[in-house]
Amino acid sequence: MHLRPRLRRHHPRPEELTTAALLMTILTVVFNAVMDRHLQHQADDELRNRAAAVATTVDTTGPRVRVLETVNDRLLDANVWIYAGTRLLEKPPSATAGDPPAQVADRLAAQPRDTCATVQAHGHRPVRLCAQRVPGRRAAAPVVTALDLTPYRSSAAPCCWARSSWTP
């Protein structure tokens, strides 16, 4: 005679369900934090690369900072502020003095070191700005580049759906 083991159904206790829900919440929060940090580093790397490209058009060898105009530099000028010390030399065509990104660009240019900041622009779109200094004889020539973070945030949304749709 062949005996089959009897399978017992396990009914989870409320504290087991609570523990599982808490663990899933913690893992989701940690994953989202790591993903946000990774995407921010990617954005910062792109901004630094753009600033380095723009820096090749900034001449600091003479007594004055000069911006060398090149053919089709429209792509380089997009979302870029160039300063001589704290004096603005060039700004993006669409930027105005009262815009939050322009105000943050001015603040970053006045900082003594390369740094980045995030600001909410018109329409509550997150914009990341990074400043990089071009060393010069008299003073550094800060180059500030900006990037709309909306594509970075939306690329994280599909993998982080649990942030908004999962409820314990």
Side-chain angles (χ1 to χ4, degrees):
M1 175 149 88
H2 190 264
L3 294 175
R4 269 199 264 157
R6 294 182 93 187
L7 296 176
R8 296 180 75 197
R9 288 188 174 213
H10 176 70
H11 296 288
R13 296 187 312 244
E15 54 273 359
E16 291 174 332
L17 290 174
T18 302
T19 302
L22 183 61
L23 181 61
M24 286 181 68
T25 301
I26 290 170
L27 290 174
T28 301
V29 168
V30 169
F31 178 78
N32 288 338
V34 169
M35 181 60 80
D36 285 345
R37 188 165 174 85
H38 174 71
L39 292 174
Q40 182 173 319
H41 282 299
Q42 278 187 330
D44 289 354
D45 288 345
E46 182 175 333
L47 287 168
R48 287 187 189 101
N49 288 337
R50 286 181 49 212
V54 171
T56 63
T57 67
V58 178
D59 179 15
T60 58
T61 58
R64 301 185 125 195
V65 175
R66 293 184 315 133
V67 179
L68 307 173
E69 297 300 324
T70 59
V71 178
N72 288 332
D73 66 352
R74 186 175 60 242
L75 293 174
L76 284 178
D77 291 342
N79 297 322
V80 173
W81 290 261
I82 301 173
Y83 296 83
T86 58
R87 184 173 54 88
L88 181 64
L89 296 178
E90 282 195 16
K91 65 182 177 81
S94 61
T96 59
D99 284 342
Q103 292 173 345
V104 171
D106 291 343
R107 270 200 319 269
L108 291 176
Q111 297 289 325
R113 57 184 164 75
D114 295 351
T115 188
C116 298
T118 303
V119 65
Q120 297 296 320
H122 298 294
H124 304 288
R125 296 173 69 99
V127 175
R128 185 82 172 157
L129 293 96
C130 287
Q132 181 174 327
R133 271 133 193 74
V134 179
R137 273 189 183 171
R138 296 183 144 176
V143 173
V144 180
T145 54
L147 180 67
D148 184 355
L149 291 178
T150 303
Y152 288 85
R153 300 271 166 91
S154 64
S155 70
C159 67
C160 306
W161 64 269
R163 178 185 304 182
S164 61
S165 63
W166 183 76
T167 55

